[in-house]
Amino acid sequence: GGLDQPLAVRIIAYMQRPASKPKKVLFPTGKPDVDNQMKLVCDSLNGLCWRDDALIVDGGVRKRYCSPEFPTPGFHIMVYTLGEEDV
């Protein structure tokens, strides 16, 4: 099941800051890579959110450390349907 049209997917991956990383280190630059995170999310939502991840024609991943607004590690996933106005 799921959506069956061209899609854009935007992902924010919230990661726990290791105790060894000082606060001045603003971004998580270690593993996992953003391409692996995109693949994990897209494959996991096949048949649930969309019919097939081949429908995703635009997307991106941002890696961030957890914050007071997003204190738990995980993914914030935004899915947009695309049409003529998005060409």
PDB file of all heavy atoms in Angstrom, residues 53-79:
ATOM      1  N   ASP A  53      10.114   2.601  -3.055  1.00  0.00           N
ATOM      2  CA  ASP A  53      10.983   3.764  -2.890  1.00  0.00           C
ATOM      3  C   ASP A  53      11.540   4.296  -4.209  1.00  0.00           C
ATOM      4  O   ASP A  53      12.136   5.369  -4.244  1.00  0.00           O
ATOM      5  CB  ASP A  53      12.084   3.526  -1.862  1.00  0.00           C
ATOM      6  CG  ASP A  53      12.994   2.365  -2.187  1.00  0.00           C
ATOM      7  OD1 ASP A  53      12.811   1.707  -3.221  1.00  0.00           O
ATOM      8  OD2 ASP A  53      13.904   2.105  -1.381  1.00  0.00           O
ATOM      9  N   ALA A  54      11.292   3.607  -5.306  1.00  0.00           N
ATOM     10  CA  ALA A  54      11.651   4.140  -6.622  1.00  0.00           C
ATOM     11  C   ALA A  54      10.830   5.392  -6.945  1.00  0.00           C
ATOM     12  O   ALA A  54      11.214   6.187  -7.808  1.00  0.00           O
ATOM     13  CB  ALA A  54      11.444   3.080  -7.700  1.00  0.00           C
ATOM     14  N   LEU A  55       9.717   5.597  -6.235  1.00  0.00           N
ATOM     15  CA  LEU A  55       8.878   6.782  -6.435  1.00  0.00           C
ATOM     16  C   LEU A  55       9.533   8.049  -5.885  1.00  0.00           C
ATOM     17  O   LEU A  55       9.114   9.152  -6.208  1.00  0.00           O
ATOM     18  CB  LEU A  55       7.516   6.585  -5.750  1.00  0.00           C
ATOM     19  CG  LEU A  55       6.634   5.493  -6.360  1.00  0.00           C
ATOM     20  CD1 LEU A  55       5.526   5.124  -5.401  1.00  0.00           C
ATOM     21  CD2 LEU A  55       6.076   5.959  -7.691  1.00  0.00           C
ATOM     22  N   ILE A  56      10.572   7.910  -5.070  1.00  0.00           N
ATOM     23  CA  ILE A  56      11.250   9.066  -4.490  1.00  0.00           C
ATOM     24  C   ILE A  56      12.182   9.668  -5.533  1.00  0.00           C
ATOM     25  O   ILE A  56      13.121   9.023  -5.979  1.00  0.00           O
ATOM     26  CB  ILE A  56      12.013   8.674  -3.212  1.00  0.00           C
ATOM     27  CG1 ILE A  56      11.032   8.115  -2.184  1.00  0.00           C
ATOM     28  CG2 ILE A  56      12.785   9.877  -2.655  1.00  0.00           C
ATOM     29  CD1 ILE A  56      11.691   7.437  -1.017  1.00  0.00           C
ATOM     30  N   VAL A  57      11.866  10.897  -5.927  1.00  0.00           N
ATOM     31  CA  VAL A  57      12.639  11.570  -6.969  1.00  0.00           C
ATOM     32  C   VAL A  57      13.435  12.757  -6.437  1.00  0.00           C
ATOM     33  O   VAL A  57      14.206  13.369  -7.167  1.00  0.00           O
ATOM     34  CB  VAL A  57      11.728  12.019  -8.139  1.00  0.00           C
ATOM     35  CG1 VAL A  57      11.054  10.808  -8.779  1.00  0.00           C
ATOM     36  CG2 VAL A  57      10.691  13.027  -7.681  1.00  0.00           C
ATOM     37  N   ASP A  58      13.229  13.082  -5.165  1.00  0.00           N
ATOM     38  CA  ASP A  58      13.939  14.200  -4.537  1.00  0.00           C
ATOM     39  C   ASP A  58      14.050  13.894  -3.051  1.00  0.00           C
ATOM     40  O   ASP A  58      13.136  13.314  -2.465  1.00  0.00           O
ATOM     41  CB  ASP A  58      13.146  15.489  -4.755  1.00  0.00           C
ATOM     42  CG  ASP A  58      13.892  16.746  -4.342  1.00  0.00           C
ATOM     43  OD1 ASP A  58      15.069  16.640  -3.926  1.00  0.00           O
ATOM     44  OD2 ASP A  58      13.299  17.829  -4.414  1.00  0.00           O
ATOM     45  N   GLY A  59      15.172  14.253  -2.446  1.00  0.00           N
ATOM     46  CA  GLY A  59      15.288  13.971  -1.030  1.00  0.00           C
ATOM     47  C   GLY A  59      16.571  14.478  -0.434  1.00  0.00           C
ATOM     48  O   GLY A  59      17.462  14.944  -1.142  1.00  0.00           O
ATOM     49  N   GLY A  60      16.636  14.374   0.870  1.00  0.00           N
ATOM     50  CA  GLY A  60      17.830  14.788   1.565  1.00  0.00           C
ATOM     51  C   GLY A  60      17.794  14.373   3.018  1.00  0.00           C
ATOM     52  O   GLY A  60      16.733  14.100   3.571  1.00  0.00           O
ATOM     53  N   VAL A  61      18.986  14.317   3.607  1.00  0.00           N
ATOM     54  CA  VAL A  61      19.142  13.950   5.012  1.00  0.00           C
ATOM     55  C   VAL A  61      20.014  14.996   5.689  1.00  0.00           C
ATOM     56  O   VAL A  61      21.039  15.404   5.145  1.00  0.00           O
ATOM     57  CB  VAL A  61      19.808  12.559   5.166  1.00  0.00           C
ATOM     58  CG1 VAL A  61      20.013  12.222   6.634  1.00  0.00           C
ATOM     59  CG2 VAL A  61      19.004  11.482   4.475  1.00  0.00           C
ATOM     60  N   ARG A  62      19.597  15.390   6.884  1.00  0.00           N
ATOM     61  CA  ARG A  62      20.416  16.237   7.756  1.00  0.00           C
ATOM     62  C   ARG A  62      20.705  15.439   9.018  1.00  0.00           C
ATOM     63  O   ARG A  62      19.794  14.838   9.580  1.00  0.00           O
ATOM     64  CB  ARG A  62      19.677  17.506   8.151  1.00  0.00           C
ATOM     65  CG  ARG A  62      19.402  18.423   7.017  1.00  0.00           C
ATOM     66  CD  ARG A  62      18.646  19.626   7.526  1.00  0.00           C
ATOM     67  NE  ARG A  62      18.374  20.526   6.419  1.00  0.00           N
ATOM     68  CZ  ARG A  62      17.788  21.695   6.562  1.00  0.00           C
ATOM     69  NH1 ARG A  62      17.407  22.102   7.757  1.00  0.00           N
ATOM     70  NH2 ARG A  62      17.580  22.454   5.519  1.00  0.00           N
ATOM     71  N   LYS A  63      21.952  15.443   9.447  1.00  0.00           N
ATOM     72  CA  LYS A  63      22.310  14.813  10.724  1.00  0.00           C
ATOM     73  C   LYS A  63      22.487  15.917  11.755  1.00  0.00           C
ATOM     74  O   LYS A  63      23.180  16.900  11.507  1.00  0.00           O
ATOM     75  CB  LYS A  63      23.614  14.022  10.601  1.00  0.00           C
ATOM     76  CG  LYS A  63      23.500  12.816   9.718  1.00  0.00           C
ATOM     77  CD  LYS A  63      24.699  11.894   9.676  1.00  0.00           C
ATOM     78  CE  LYS A  63      26.032  12.361  10.054  1.00  0.00           C
ATOM     79  NZ  LYS A  63      27.106  11.368   9.855  1.00  0.00           N
ATOM     80  N   ARG A  64      21.840  15.733  12.904  1.00  0.00           N
ATOM     81  CA  ARG A  64      21.933  16.702  13.985  1.00  0.00           C
ATOM     82  C   ARG A  64      22.050  15.970  15.309  1.00  0.00           C
ATOM     83  O   ARG A  64      21.576  14.838  15.443  1.00  0.00           O
ATOM     84  CB  ARG A  64      20.693  17.612  14.028  1.00  0.00           C
ATOM     85  CG  ARG A  64      20.473  18.447  12.768  1.00  0.00           C
ATOM     86  CD  ARG A  64      21.578  19.486  12.611  1.00  0.00           C
ATOM     87  NE  ARG A  64      21.335  20.404  11.510  1.00  0.00           N
ATOM     88  CZ  ARG A  64      21.833  20.274  10.289  1.00  0.00           C
ATOM     89  NH1 ARG A  64      22.575  19.227   9.985  1.00  0.00           N
ATOM     90  NH2 ARG A  64      21.584  21.175   9.366  1.00  0.00           N
ATOM     91  N   TYR A  65      22.645  16.647  16.287  1.00  0.00           N
ATOM     92  CA  TYR A  65      22.638  16.095  17.639  1.00  0.00           C
ATOM     93  C   TYR A  65      21.269  16.357  18.262  1.00  0.00           C
ATOM     94  O   TYR A  65      20.587  17.331  17.912  1.00  0.00           O
ATOM     95  CB  TYR A  65      23.736  16.729  18.490  1.00  0.00           C
ATOM     96  CG  TYR A  65      25.118  16.212  18.174  1.00  0.00           C
ATOM     97  CD1 TYR A  65      26.143  17.072  17.826  1.00  0.00           C
ATOM     98  CD2 TYR A  65      25.395  14.850  18.235  1.00  0.00           C
ATOM     99  CE1 TYR A  65      27.413  16.595  17.540  1.00  0.00           C
ATOM    100  CE2 TYR A  65      26.663  14.362  17.953  1.00  0.00           C
ATOM    101  CZ  TYR A  65      27.663  15.233  17.604  1.00  0.00           C
ATOM    102  OH  TYR A  65      28.911  14.752  17.322  1.00  0.00           O
ATOM    103  N   CYS A  66      20.880  15.494  19.170  1.00  0.00           N
ATOM    104  CA  CYS A  66      19.651  15.695  19.919  1.00  0.00           C
ATOM    105  C   CYS A  66      19.723  17.056  20.617  1.00  0.00           C
ATOM    106  O   CYS A  66      20.804  17.555  20.916  1.00  0.00           O
ATOM    107  CB  CYS A  66      19.449  14.588  20.941  1.00  0.00           C
ATOM    108  SG  CYS A  66      19.106  12.986  20.196  1.00  0.00           S
ATOM    109  N   SER A  67      18.552  17.625  20.842  1.00  0.00           N
ATOM    110  CA  SER A  67      18.450  18.943  21.460  1.00  0.00           C
ATOM    111  C   SER A  67      17.276  18.926  22.434  1.00  0.00           C
ATOM    112  O   SER A  67      16.529  17.938  22.476  1.00  0.00           O
ATOM    113  CB  SER A  67      18.212  19.987  20.365  1.00  0.00           C
ATOM    114  OG  SER A  67      16.936  19.763  19.776  1.00  0.00           O
ATOM    115  N   PRO A  68      17.074  19.993  23.185  1.00  0.00           N
ATOM    116  CA  PRO A  68      15.895  20.021  24.060  1.00  0.00           C
ATOM    117  C   PRO A  68      14.580  19.850  23.290  1.00  0.00           C
ATOM    118  O   PRO A  68      13.640  19.235  23.777  1.00  0.00           O
ATOM    119  CB  PRO A  68      15.972  21.401  24.718  1.00  0.00           C
ATOM    120  CG  PRO A  68      17.435  21.730  24.714  1.00  0.00           C
ATOM    121  CD  PRO A  68      17.962  21.132  23.427  1.00  0.00           C
ATOM    122  N   GLU A  69      14.523  20.350  22.054  1.00  0.00           N
ATOM    123  CA  GLU A  69      13.309  20.204  21.233  1.00  0.00           C
ATOM    124  C   GLU A  69      13.135  18.770  20.739  1.00  0.00           C
ATOM    125  O   GLU A  69      12.013  18.303  20.552  1.00  0.00           O
ATOM    126  CB  GLU A  69      13.340  21.153  20.027  1.00  0.00           C
ATOM    127  CG  GLU A  69      13.326  22.617  20.384  1.00  0.00           C
ATOM    128  CD  GLU A  69      14.705  23.163  20.761  1.00  0.00           C
ATOM    129  OE1 GLU A  69      15.731  22.551  20.417  1.00  0.00           O
ATOM    130  OE2 GLU A  69      14.740  24.206  21.421  1.00  0.00           O
ATOM    131  N   PHE A  70      14.234  18.077  20.460  1.00  0.00           N
ATOM    132  CA  PHE A  70      14.234  16.697  19.977  1.00  0.00           C
ATOM    133  C   PHE A  70      15.220  15.899  20.823  1.00  0.00           C
ATOM    134  O   PHE A  70      16.341  15.622  20.392  1.00  0.00           O
ATOM    135  CB  PHE A  70      14.606  16.632  18.494  1.00  0.00           C
ATOM    136  CG  PHE A  70      13.608  17.308  17.604  1.00  0.00           C
ATOM    137  CD1 PHE A  70      13.794  18.616  17.188  1.00  0.00           C
ATOM    138  CD2 PHE A  70      12.462  16.644  17.194  1.00  0.00           C
ATOM    139  CE1 PHE A  70      12.862  19.258  16.386  1.00  0.00           C
ATOM    140  CE2 PHE A  70      11.525  17.269  16.389  1.00  0.00           C
ATOM    141  CZ  PHE A  70      11.727  18.584  15.979  1.00  0.00           C
ATOM    142  N   PRO A  71      14.830  15.524  22.045  1.00  0.00           N
ATOM    143  CA  PRO A  71      15.782  14.917  22.980  1.00  0.00           C
ATOM    144  C   PRO A  71      16.080  13.441  22.740  1.00  0.00           C
ATOM    145  O   PRO A  71      17.057  12.924  23.261  1.00  0.00           O
ATOM    146  CB  PRO A  71      15.089  15.104  24.337  1.00  0.00           C
ATOM    147  CG  PRO A  71      13.640  15.153  24.015  1.00  0.00           C
ATOM    148  CD  PRO A  71      13.541  15.794  22.659  1.00  0.00           C
ATOM    149  N   THR A  72      15.269  12.769  21.938  1.00  0.00           N
ATOM    150  CA  THR A  72      15.425  11.334  21.737  1.00  0.00           C
ATOM    151  C   THR A  72      16.010  11.049  20.352  1.00  0.00           C
ATOM    152  O   THR A  72      15.514  11.589  19.362  1.00  0.00           O
ATOM    153  CB  THR A  72      14.060  10.628  21.872  1.00  0.00           C
ATOM    154  OG1 THR A  72      13.493  10.985  23.135  1.00  0.00           O
ATOM    155  CG2 THR A  72      14.203   9.127  21.786  1.00  0.00           C
ATOM    156  N   PRO A  73      17.034  10.207  20.251  1.00  0.00           N
ATOM    157  CA  PRO A  73      17.565   9.853  18.925  1.00  0.00           C
ATOM    158  C   PRO A  73      16.476   9.228  18.058  1.00  0.00           C
ATOM    159  O   PRO A  73      15.618   8.490  18.547  1.00  0.00           O
ATOM    160  CB  PRO A  73      18.659   8.826  19.239  1.00  0.00           C
ATOM    161  CG  PRO A  73      19.045   9.092  20.655  1.00  0.00           C
ATOM    162  CD  PRO A  73      17.788   9.557  21.330  1.00  0.00           C
ATOM    163  N   GLY A  74      16.513   9.549  16.784  1.00  0.00           N
ATOM    164  CA  GLY A  74      15.535   8.992  15.845  1.00  0.00           C
ATOM    165  C   GLY A  74      15.457   9.848  14.602  1.00  0.00           C
ATOM    166  O   GLY A  74      16.308  10.721  14.366  1.00  0.00           O
ATOM    167  N   PHE A  75      14.424   9.600  13.813  1.00  0.00           N
ATOM    168  CA  PHE A  75      14.256  10.291  12.531  1.00  0.00           C
ATOM    169  C   PHE A  75      13.009  11.160  12.546  1.00  0.00           C
ATOM    170  O   PHE A  75      11.962  10.743  13.027  1.00  0.00           O
ATOM    171  CB  PHE A  75      14.119   9.280  11.388  1.00  0.00           C
ATOM    172  CG  PHE A  75      15.338   8.431  11.173  1.00  0.00           C
ATOM    173  CD1 PHE A  75      15.370   7.120  11.608  1.00  0.00           C
ATOM    174  CD2 PHE A  75      16.446   8.942  10.536  1.00  0.00           C
ATOM    175  CE1 PHE A  75      16.484   6.327  11.406  1.00  0.00           C
ATOM    176  CE2 PHE A  75      17.575   8.160  10.331  1.00  0.00           C
ATOM    177  CZ  PHE A  75      17.591   6.851  10.770  1.00  0.00           C
ATOM    178  N   HIS A  76      13.129  12.350  12.016  1.00  0.00           N
ATOM    179  CA  HIS A  76      11.989  13.200  11.708  1.00  0.00           C
ATOM    180  C   HIS A  76      11.852  13.109  10.190  1.00  0.00           C
ATOM    181  O   HIS A  76      12.766  13.515   9.458  1.00  0.00           O
ATOM    182  CB  HIS A  76      12.260  14.635  12.159  1.00  0.00           C
ATOM    183  CG  HIS A  76      11.131  15.567  11.930  1.00  0.00           C
ATOM    184  ND1 HIS A  76      10.273  15.946  12.929  1.00  0.00           N
ATOM    185  CD2 HIS A  76      10.712  16.178  10.815  1.00  0.00           C
ATOM    186  CE1 HIS A  76       9.369  16.761  12.431  1.00  0.00           C
ATOM    187  NE2 HIS A  76       9.622  16.918  11.156  1.00  0.00           N
ATOM    188  N   ILE A  77      10.744  12.547   9.713  1.00  0.00           N
ATOM    189  CA  ILE A  77      10.582  12.251   8.285  1.00  0.00           C
ATOM    190  C   ILE A  77       9.432  13.072   7.725  1.00  0.00           C
ATOM    191  O   ILE A  77       8.311  13.034   8.246  1.00  0.00           O
ATOM    192  CB  ILE A  77      10.296  10.748   8.074  1.00  0.00           C
ATOM    193  CG1 ILE A  77      11.411   9.922   8.705  1.00  0.00           C
ATOM    194  CG2 ILE A  77      10.131  10.436   6.589  1.00  0.00           C
ATOM    195  CD1 ILE A  77      11.056   8.454   8.883  1.00  0.00           C
ATOM    196  N   MET A  78       9.715  13.817   6.652  1.00  0.00           N
ATOM    197  CA  MET A  78       8.703  14.605   5.965  1.00  0.00           C
ATOM    198  C   MET A  78       8.565  14.076   4.543  1.00  0.00           C
ATOM    199  O   MET A  78       9.573  13.931   3.848  1.00  0.00           O
ATOM    200  CB  MET A  78       9.090  16.080   5.968  1.00  0.00           C
ATOM    201  CG  MET A  78       9.137  16.662   7.391  1.00  0.00           C
ATOM    202  SD  MET A  78      10.370  17.955   7.624  1.00  0.00           S
ATOM    203  CE  MET A  78      11.876  16.997   7.671  1.00  0.00           C
ATOM    204  N   VAL A  79       7.351  13.790   4.143  1.00  0.00           N
ATOM    205  CA  VAL A  79       7.078  13.239   2.812  1.00  0.00           C
ATOM    206  C   VAL A  79       6.171  14.216   2.074  1.00  0.00           C
ATOM    207  O   VAL A  79       5.142  14.646   2.617  1.00  0.00           O
ATOM    208  CB  VAL A  79       6.403  11.851   2.911  1.00  0.00           C
ATOM    209  CG1 VAL A  79       6.094  11.302   1.519  1.00  0.00           C
ATOM    210  CG2 VAL A  79       7.272  10.889   3.707  1.00  0.00           C
TER     211      VAL A  79
END
